[in-house]
């Protein structure tokens, strides 16, 4: 008679995180304000070492349920020097935006992330991801929430990226709408991206 394989028992953090993620995905706190309805998009593992905090899903991400599944995600992966397989490996990368659901369209792009998500869920999620070593703060909303002393502008905050290490690394949003910013600030790809990749490489050496 063949022996039964040993039963795998999830760690306490894995169990608590799975339960918490189920609660997040069932969240309806701001349902009345969401034009496409709630569809919280978040990914995390108790073993994740990189946390990406962006803004909020766009319509494509809302419909697919896959974070950064758009041109912004393609550019972000180029900045990291990662392919999709590594980017979506939850054992390495957690993706927890400032707003979990598509907030709707404004006059010049999508509306800001709903404020309820970060105050309601972020700290609880981080508490169940003890191995996080680096948090990418993508865009001004994440930077204002997480950094004690962000600079007056996003440009200045990104220029001073080294001040916020080793835990935080501020980035501009990789949206195609920011193409003009990238052209006006060539120092970003010349100096900041190489520094980002060096920091990212440290996560994958373990």
């Amino acid at each position: 008679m063949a022996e039964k394989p040993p039963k795998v028992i999830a760690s306490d953090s894995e169990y608590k995180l799975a339960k918490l993620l189920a609660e997040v995905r069932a969240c309806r706190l701001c349902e009345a304000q969401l034009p496409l309805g709630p569809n919280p998009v978040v990914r995390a593992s108790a073993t994740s070492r990189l946390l990406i905090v962006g803004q909020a899903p766009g319509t494509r991400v809302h419909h697919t349920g896959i974070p950064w599944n758009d041109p912004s995600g393609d550019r972000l992966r180029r900045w990291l020097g990662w392919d999709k397989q590594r980017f979506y490996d939850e054992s390495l990368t957690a993706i927890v935006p400032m707003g979990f659901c598509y907030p709707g369209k404004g006059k010049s792009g999508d509306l800001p992330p709903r404020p309820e998500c970060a105050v309601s869920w972020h700290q609880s999620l981080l508490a169940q991801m003890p191995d996080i070593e680096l948090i990418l703060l993508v865009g001004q909303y994440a930077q204002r929430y997480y950094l004690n002393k962000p600079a007056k502008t996003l440009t200045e905050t990104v220029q001073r990226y080294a001040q916020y290490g080793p835990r935080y690394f501020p980035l501009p949003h990789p949206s195609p709408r920011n193409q003009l910013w990238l052209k006006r600030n060539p120092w970003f790809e010349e100096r900041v991206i190489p520094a980002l990749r060096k920091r990212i490489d440290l996560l994958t050496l373990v």
Side-chain angles (χ1 to χ4, degrees):
M1 182 176 179
E3 294 184 4
K4 293 182 179 180
K7 185 178 180 180
V8 177
I9 301 176
S11 70
D12 186 53
S13 289
E14 288 172 333
Y15 173 78
K16 290 181 178 178
L17 180 57
K19 182 179 179 181
L20 182 58
L21 286 171
E23 294 175 8
V24 169
R25 288 165 180 148
C27 179
R28 299 296 183 268
L29 282 175
C30 52
E31 182 173 11
Q33 286 76 41
L34 300 174
L36 299 183
N39 182 26
V41 178
V42 56
R43 298 167 71 104
S45 166
T47 63
S48 298
R49 298 198 296 280
L50 172 67
L51 171 60
I52 300 174
V53 183
Q55 294 187 173
T59 54
R60 182 172 177 179
V61 172
H62 171 86
H63 291 302
T64 64
I66 303 173
W68 296 103
N69 182 32
D70 52 22
S72 295
D74 293 338
R75 175 172 279 162
L76 179 58
R77 283 183 283 274
R78 288 197 298 271
W79 288 351
L80 299 178
W82 280 6
D83 58 18
K84 286 188 175 182
Q85 182 177 358
R86 176 166 286 183
F87 185 84
Y88 289 117
D89 179 358
E90 291 182 17
S91 67
L92 176 62
T93 307
I95 301 174
V96 181
M98 291 299 296
F100 298 154
C101 297
Y102 172 64
K105 185 69 69 177
K107 292 182 179 180
S108 57
D110 292 343
L111 291 171
R114 294 294 310 174
E116 295 89 345
C117 297
V119 297
S120 300
W121 301 109
H122 274 218
Q123 293 309 309
S124 296
L125 287 166
L126 275 168
Q128 303 306 326
M129 293 187 285
D131 294 338
I132 293 293
E133 298 176 23
L134 177 63
I135 301 177
L136 301 186
L137 302 175
V138 185
Q140 62 178 337
Y141 297 104
Q143 292 160 19
R144 290 175 181 173
Y145 185 82
Y146 275 93
L147 298 179
N148 288 329
K149 295 182 179 180
K152 292 182 180 180
T153 67
L154 178 141
T155 299
E156 292 175 347
T157 299
V158 175
Q159 285 176 323
R160 302 175 187 177
Y161 69 91
Q163 296 181 12
Y164 306 110
R167 184 160 179 80
Y168 298 111
F169 202 114
L171 294 171
H173 199 281
S175 168
R177 291 178 178 272
N178 275 350
Q179 188 63 35
L180 182 59
W181 186 94
L182 293 170
K183 288 183 178 180
R184 288 176 174 174
N185 297 278
W187 51 266
F188 173 72
E189 298 219 20
E190 292 169 359
R191 301 198 303 271
V192 180
I193 291 302
L196 171 65
R197 290 181 178 177
K198 286 182 180 180
R199 184 67 183 88
I200 289 291
D201 285 346
L202 294 177
L203 301 177
T204 60
L205 292 178
V206 179

